[in-house]
Amino acid sequence: MEELIKSVVCAEFEEYGRASVKFGAVNNSDHESYAVLREEADEAVDVLEEVDNLTEAFFEMVKKNEEDEMKLEILNVIKHRAEEAAAESIQVAAMARKAIETIERRASK
């Protein structure tokens, strides 16, 4: 798990860098920090809720002994949506980093 977290932190820094180039390294206010963070967190939650619902649907297939082809279809969707949830979570971390940078830069002035 430690190696995975290191990879996530690297991806977080990369995402912060991309966002900084596109939108600036800091936010204009803590209100903006909150709005951006809230938006990303909501997106992550939405995708994870979908993963949860799809997982329950997969379990229903398992209980009904559905064909493997159908189970593979839903598992591929679960995998793809979980990857999207991971990416959304990385964006949350990057926007938290941006909010931290915003406060730290303000404090250093």
Side-chain angles (χ1 to χ4, degrees), residues 69-106:
E69 185 175 301
M70 293 183 69
K71 289 186 274 187
L72 287 171
E73 282 182 34
I74 198 166
L75 287 169
N76 277 304
V77 174
I78 291 169
K79 182 183 79 66
H80 177 70
R81 297 302 281 160
E83 292 164 350
E84 288 177 6
E88 291 291 353
S89 294
I90 288 167
Q91 288 182 322
V92 172
M95 293 307 95
R97 178 170 301 285
K98 186 174 182 177
I100 290 165
E101 188 66 28
T102 300
I103 292 171
E104 287 178 346
R105 286 193 187 181
R106 184 175 61 230

Side-chain angles (χ1 to χ4, degrees), residues 41-99:
D42 287 347
E43 290 171 359
V45 167
D46 289 347
V47 178
L48 279 176
E49 284 177 353
E50 186 177 348
V51 169
D52 186 55
N53 292 335
L54 289 165
T55 301
E56 287 304 311
F58 171 69
F59 187 51
E60 290 301 316
M61 291 176 158
V62 170
K63 291 189 293 186
K64 293 176 184 174
N65 202 25
E66 298 269 352
E67 295 292 321
D68 285 347
E69 185 175 301
M70 293 183 69
K71 289 186 274 187
L72 287 171
E73 282 182 34
I74 198 166
L75 287 169
N76 277 304
V77 174
I78 291 169
K79 182 183 79 66
H80 177 70
R81 297 302 281 160
E83 292 164 350
E84 288 177 6
E88 291 291 353
S89 294
I90 288 167
Q91 288 182 322
V92 172
M95 293 307 95
R97 178 170 301 285
K98 186 174 182 177

Side-chain angles (χ1 to χ4, degrees), residues 12-27 36 40 91 94-95 98:
E12 170 199 326
F13 273 102
E14 289 174 11
E15 180 59 23
Y16 172 68
R18 279 190 293 275
S20 294
V21 167
K22 192 170 182 178
F23 302 109
V26 296
N27 293 312
V36 172
E40 296 301 339
Q91 288 182 322
M95 293 307 95
K98 186 174 182 177

